[in-house]
Amino acid sequence: MDVPPPNLLSPHEPYMLRALAEAQVAFEEKEVPVGAVVVHDGRVIASAHNQREQLNDPTAHAEIVAITQAAESLGSWRLLDCTLYVTLEPCPMCAGAIVQARIPNVVYGTDDPKAGACHSLYQITDDPRLNHQCNVLGGVLQPECAGILREFFAVQRAAGKK
């Protein structure tokens, strides 16, 4: 059996690194640092980060913004043959949007024990009662994805916020 070199990235890591770069932009904008990218045929067609504070919009999660961009890019609300990469496990709202957009694959960085809707609290993305299910893989670059969130909330607590 061939063993890959230890520095060889998994095929998901380059895209998750792009999502982490978006999360860093959110951090700098004082938004909860979550980033997302949508990939179609090996090409990033959407890239976004949380913008709830900036837009005063409770639905402006990274996933929702990226899904909207991807639909525009493809000219269809059906995001078939796409993979959504997101640094934090999607919440119920985002998981519902993933199902509605027919996204077949979701890759996320770190679990969300308070609002996760793919594995942690709910399993919306693979609920057989819904008209679409998707494959979900968690834990890609988990330490990095969890770390940026920890750092953000530590900064917020030190400033007397959140």
Side-chain angles (χ1 to χ4, degrees):
M1 179 167 95
D2 293 329
V3 177
N7 62 351
L8 182 65
L9 298 176
S10 85
H12 300 296
E13 288 182 13
Y15 300 118
M16 190 60 74
L17 288 169
R18 292 275 303 265
L20 271 165
E22 284 289 337
Q24 184 62 44
V25 172
F27 188 110
E28 292 164 6
E29 293 176 356
K30 296 183 175 53
E31 297 275 357
V32 175
V34 176
V37 299
V38 178
V39 176
H40 180 263
D41 290 337
R43 185 174 64 89
V44 174
I45 61 168
S47 183
H49 57 275
N50 275 357
Q51 294 181 295
R52 293 189 320 169
E53 302 294 335
Q54 181 180 14
L55 300 176
N56 290 314
D57 181 352
T59 68
H61 288 202
E63 300 96 309
I64 300 294
V65 177
I67 288 169
T68 300
Q69 289 175 3
E72 180 68 24
S73 174
L74 293 179
S76 175
W77 62 267
R78 291 177 185 89
L79 300 183
L80 306 174
D81 302 319
C82 288
T83 300
L84 171 69
Y85 290 86
V86 60
T87 57
L88 180 65
E89 179 183 3
C91 72
M93 175 183 69
C94 294
I98 290 163
V99 169
Q100 291 300 313
R102 310 298 195 266
I103 297 172
N105 302 296
V106 175
V107 179
Y108 70 87
T110 193
D111 290 339
D112 185 349
K114 293 183 179 180
C118 295
H119 289 141
S120 297
L121 291 180
Y122 305 102
Q123 291 77 42
I124 292 172
T125 51
D126 67 359
D127 189 323
R129 297 170 295 178
L130 299 174
N131 64 336
H132 173 75
Q133 293 81 43
C134 61
N135 302 308
V136 177
L137 174 65
V140 174
L141 297 179
Q142 190 280 333
E144 294 87 341
C145 293
I148 193 169
L149 288 162
R150 262 193 314 277
E151 181 182 351
F152 175 79
F153 287 111
V155 168
Q156 293 298 303
R157 282 190 298 278
K161 300 176 184 173
K162 300 194 190 234

